[in-house]
Amino acid sequence: MLIAGNWKMYNGPAETAEFCLGLREQELEGVDVVVCPPFVSLAAAVQLLAGTEIAVAAQNVHWDDEGAFTGEVSAGMLRELGVYGTIVGHSERRQYFGETDETVSKRVHAALEAGLFVIACVGETEQERAAGETEAVLRRQLAVLEPDDNLVLAYEPVWAIGTGHTSTPEHAQEASAFIKSQVEAPVIYGGSVKPGNAAELLAQPDVDGALVGGASLELESFTAICRAAIRS
Ligand code: 13P
């Protein structure tokens, strides 16, 4: 089981330090835990979680080693900092920052090649779901990815992100199984995962963990979800 906290644009270095000091005191054996702070907070997280089993990942990565790409960060730079992995292709990047299946593919390949662990995100919008296009969308998004020991896929239906409308466990299961039929890799679920619904989502046979947004920002709710994973 993998529980990853995607902090999005929350938690600067000081808040990150405070969170990580608390996190390292927790008993979290039996679950793989990852925190994904914003770029500016990665160094603090790496430093404060050193010597623990808790991994630190970025939220995005560029495909080139270096170059004139204002605002971007390379896999080598993340590695230099001691960062373990990265999220790629989050729906917020697709929706607001022009991320496409092609750029997702380039980022994933570069990150894997540089030795980073990757959580690649896929998922349909509300409109696509209503049109019965969920599988077609997933098939298209997954067509650019290949299995890799360091690749995990996150099924994040866009309609469930930050809305409080979690996917039913049955839908999460069905979509995760479909994703595995396209790319053989572990699949974690994201979209309004909370301490109260984590256990039933994680109990699904093809759900291998969770990518948690809002509920990963508070130590108490994040560790409650980690504990649900340990029990499942
Ligand atoms: P929420 O848990 O806030 O719905 O966010 C999910 C998400 O986007 C994680 O990457």
Side-chain angles (χ1 to χ4, degrees), residues 32 51 59 88 150 202:
D32 295 325
Q59 299 173 14
V88 173
N150 284 324
L202 297 173

Side-chain angles (χ1 to χ4, degrees), residues 6 8 90 92 156 160-163 190-194 211-215:
N6 174 11
K8 309 192 178 184
H90 191 278
E92 287 151 14
E156 294 210 312
I161 295 177
T163 59
S192 298
V193 176
K194 309 280 176 223
L211 182 54
V212 186

